Amino acid sequence: MNTQLKRKIAFSLSMGVVTTGIISFVLLALNLGFSNELALAWLRSWAIGYVIVIPATLLLGPRLQAQVDRLVK
């Protein structure tokens, strides 16, 4: 595996942690408020979101990047 591919995978994994964490927290805080249930619900939602986002990013990312590259020259 080459260095560029390793970087892309590491970036996808890292960005997935950050984005799913932020989005799941904000949406749950807005919908549940700051209750006793928030932390557990957040961790559960974060884990589910991460499991969904990472494969999607790794599978769809290269195709989307190719389309963007074609549009923006």
Side-chain angles (χ1 to χ4, degrees), residues 52-65:
I52 293 168
V53 164
I54 293 307
T57 301
L58 293 172
L59 294 173
L60 300 175
R63 291 183 183 118
L64 184 57
Q65 184 66 54

Side-chain angles (χ1 to χ4, degrees), residues 22-56:
I22 292 169
I23 291 169
S24 61
F25 179 79
V26 169
L27 291 176
L28 281 169
L30 288 172
N31 288 308
L32 293 179
F34 290 96
S35 66
N36 294 335
E37 304 160 5
L38 179 63
L40 188 57
W42 176 46
L43 291 174
R44 183 173 181 266
S45 294
W46 192 353
I48 292 168
Y50 188 75
V51 168
I52 293 168
V53 164
I54 293 307

